């Protein structure tokens, strides 16, 4: 897979195209449009077009290669209308190449591209296709992504490595890291989280694990902005009834857990947890959460609080419209060349200003490292 890791000499921005929705496919359309605003991801797809990918066993890679092949590069012409740059827009088309991917995502649903009986969660679909693409890239490299036939997604089932690290003030912690095979996809979206648990009378225990997107709790009354949600994400929390190996089953001690980012990703995907599923059915949190065009991660969120790599700029959002999580409608806003923002509502593509992009009901945010 050396070809994937080599830089492409020139990757031009693609001519925007709407996606036809033949019935409950807006979750797919909005997700794809957001991903197409992530230039490193588009570059990866362009590189994959030069690879000889077998048709069998690689449904996600095959779908994305076919998808990006349907986009042309713009002629470079644009006109001004009401102070908004109106770009060339290609004709809408059906994302029919994702038929097999959708069947794998929801095997219980009989119809896919031709129309579906229900709406799906865009974030769940995004996580699914990223996991699948990661596995298929590893398989294309000749790496095994399963042990005894079990799909292991991001984390392998190999025994965890363990060592003792010495941190600030000479405090030591036993650290475990989950074995992880990197891919060209995780090189773009992947980062690492370090979770530290400190129990009374015991050495701190730390676990390092990979992530492709961060799930942010926005339910707390203290959360009004995406920065608030990130601070809550890394804030220490008390663990009730924590048992340590030294105290045995009978011993319960007080413990605190904190999570920080050890390795930052090139594209940071933030999932605002608006949906909850319980015995009373599914509910949606209609809460205002503001987010900026330029995001600087707080040093308290990072294991190593350096200034390098903390600045991000917004490139896309996915928004769910409606009261019911299992119904409603998904749209995407994405930044194209010349910093022009476009609103993607299935087949419709319109130019919009940043004031409309920065609404307070977003569901998934995509930030690119500056």
């Amino acid at each position: 897979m050396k070809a994937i890791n080599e830089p492409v000499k020139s990757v031009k921005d693609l001519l925007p195209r709407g996606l036809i929705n033949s019935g409950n496919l807006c979750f797919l359309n909005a997700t794809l449009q957001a991903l197409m605003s992530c230039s490193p991801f588009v570059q990866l797809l362009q590189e994959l077009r030069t690879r000889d990918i077998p048709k069998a066993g690689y449904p996600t890679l095959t779908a994305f290669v076919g998808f990006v092949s349907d986009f042309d590069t713009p002629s470079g012409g644009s006109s001004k209308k009401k102070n908004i740059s109106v770009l060339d827009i290609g004709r809408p088309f059906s994302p029919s190449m994702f038929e097999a991917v959708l069947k794998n995502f929801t095997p219980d649903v009989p119809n896919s591209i031709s129309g579906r009986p229900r709406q799906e969660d865009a974030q769940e679909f995004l996580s699914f296709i990223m996991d699948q693409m990661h596995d298929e890239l590893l398989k294309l490299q000749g790496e095994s992504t399963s042990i005894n036939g079990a799909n292991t997604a991001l984390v392998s089932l190999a025994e965890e490595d363990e060592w003792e690290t010495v941190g600030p003030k000479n405090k030591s912690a036993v650290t475990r890291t989950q074995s992880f095979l990197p891919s060209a996809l995780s090189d773009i979206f992947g980062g690492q989280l370090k979770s530290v648990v400190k129990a009374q009378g015991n050495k701190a225990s730390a676990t390092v694990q990979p992530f492709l997107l961060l799930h942010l709790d926005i339910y707390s009354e203290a959360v009004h902005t995406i920065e608030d949600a990130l601070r809550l994400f890394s804030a220490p929390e008390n663990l009730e009834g924590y048992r340590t190996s030294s105290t045995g089953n009978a011993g319960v001690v007080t413990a605190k857990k904190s999570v920080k980012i050890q390795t930052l990703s090139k594209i940071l995907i933030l999932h605002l947890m608006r949906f909850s599923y319980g015995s009373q059915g599914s509910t949606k949190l209609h809460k205002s959460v503001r987010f900026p065009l330029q995001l600087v991660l707080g040093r308290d969120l990072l294991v190593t609080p350096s200034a390098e790599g903390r600045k991000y700029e917004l490139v896309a959002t996915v928004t769910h419209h409606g009261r019911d999580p299992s119904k409603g409608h998904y749209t995407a806003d994405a930044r194209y060349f010349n910093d022009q923002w476009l609103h993607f509502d299935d087949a419709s593509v319109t130019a919009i200003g940043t004031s409309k992009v920065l609404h307070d009901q977003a569901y998934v945010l995509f930030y690119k490292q500056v």
Side-chain angles (χ1 to χ4, degrees):
M1 287 292 288
K2 286 185 179 179
I4 279 187
N5 294 320
E6 292 171 358
V8 173
K9 293 180 181 178
S10 176
V11 177
K12 295 182 179 179
D13 293 290
L14 304 178
L15 186 68
R17 297 186 68 179
L19 299 176
I20 296 170
N21 184 354
S22 52
N24 287 328
L25 281 174
C26 57
F27 73 93
L28 166 76
N29 293 346
T31 300
L32 294 179
Q33 298 288 17
L35 285 171
M36 295 303 284
S37 72
C38 303
S39 54
F41 181 71
V42 174
Q43 180 173 323
L44 170 60
L45 298 187
Q46 298 283 33
E47 291 165 350
L48 286 171
R49 291 178 66 182
T50 67
R51 304 283 301 177
D52 184 18
I53 302 175
K55 290 186 177 180
Y58 298 87
T60 315
L61 294 184
T62 302
F64 270 112
V65 168
F67 183 69
V68 77
S69 300
D70 277 348
F71 286 83
D72 297 319
T73 54
S75 61
S78 66
S79 60
K80 293 285 184 178
K81 182 180 180 182
K82 294 182 180 179
N83 297 323
I84 292 181
S85 178
V86 181
L87 306 174
D88 292 333
I89 305 294
R91 293 177 59 185
F93 68 103
S94 171
S96 57
M97 64 286 295
F98 284 90
E99 179 92 37
V101 175
L102 286 172
K103 285 182 178 177
N104 289 335
F105 177 54
T106 52
D108 60 315
V109 177
N111 298 317
S112 294
I113 294 296
S114 57
R116 298 168 62 85
R118 68 175 188 232
Q119 183 65 269
E120 305 295 342
D121 188 323
Q123 179 275 137
E124 289 183 358
F125 178 69
L126 172 64
S127 296
F128 174 81
I129 57 176
M130 291 178 74
D131 282 352
Q132 294 297 307
M133 191 170 179
H134 174 80
D135 282 352
E136 290 175 23
L137 283 168
L138 291 180
K139 187 164 66 170
L140 200 61
Q141 291 173 209
E143 302 278 5
S144 174
T145 60
S146 62
I147 297 176
N148 297 328
N151 192 328
T152 60
L154 284 176
V155 181
S156 81
L157 294 181
E159 288 187 10
E160 293 176 337
D161 298 321
E162 183 175 303
W163 69 92
E164 187 165 311
T165 56
V166 178
K169 300 179 182 177
N170 291 323
K171 291 184 177 179
S172 65
V174 176
T175 301
R176 294 181 302 275
T177 183
Q178 294 175 324
S179 300
F180 172 70
L181 294 173
S183 72
L185 185 81
S186 66
D187 185 51
I188 298 170
F189 298 101
Q192 287 183 320
L193 294 176
K194 186 174 185 179
S195 174
V196 178
V197 175
K198 182 67 175 76
Q200 278 184 331
N202 291 268
K203 287 184 178 180
S205 174
T207 302
V208 177
Q209 60 189 112
F211 71 87
L212 288 178
L213 70 168
L214 295 182
H215 305 280
L216 301 181
D217 183 1
I218 61 171
Y219 187 81
S220 170
E221 291 183 2
V223 175
H224 303 284
T225 66
I226 202 69
E227 291 91 344
D228 292 339
L230 285 166
R231 275 192 292 271
L232 180 64
F233 178 82
S234 62
E237 62 174 313
N238 291 321
L239 299 178
E240 300 294 335
Y242 184 78
R243 300 180 188 275
T244 66
S245 56
S246 60
T247 57
N249 292 333
V252 176
V253 299
T254 301
K256 278 195 172 184
K257 176 185 177 182
S258 63
V259 178
K260 294 189 177 185
I261 300 176
Q262 176 158 298
T263 307
L264 290 166
S265 53
K266 295 175 184 175
I267 300 289
L268 182 65
I269 303 179
L270 304 177
H271 164 223
L272 283 67
M273 298 167 64
R274 293 191 175 276
F275 300 155
S276 62
Y277 303 91
S279 58
Q280 304 300 317
S282 57
T283 57
K284 178 183 176 182
L285 183 60
H286 297 267
K287 181 178 183 177
S288 298
V289 180
R290 299 185 303 277
F291 55 93
L293 288 175
Q294 304 286 336
L295 176 67
V296 179
L297 297 181
R299 285 187 168 89
D300 55 347
L301 183 66
L302 310 176
V303 171
T304 305
S306 67
E308 188 177 350
R310 293 192 300 127
K311 295 182 179 180
Y312 286 82
E313 56 186 13
L314 188 71
V315 292
T317 70
V318 172
T319 302
H320 178 268
H321 309 268
R323 309 294 304 180
D324 191 338
S326 60
K327 297 178 183 177
H329 183 60
Y330 284 100
T331 62
D333 293 336
R335 196 186 74 184
Y336 268 67
F337 49 91
N338 299 330
D339 288 335
Q340 174 62 64
W341 281 91
L342 300 179
H343 179 65
F344 293 91
D345 186 349
D346 290 328
S348 171
V349 182
T350 54
I352 58 173
T354 55
S355 61
K356 290 192 175 181
V357 175
L358 297 175
H359 60 82
D360 56 14
Q361 292 294 318
Y363 182 43
V364 185
L365 302 172
F366 295 72
Y367 280 94
K368 180 183 177 183
Q369 197 173 43
V370 178

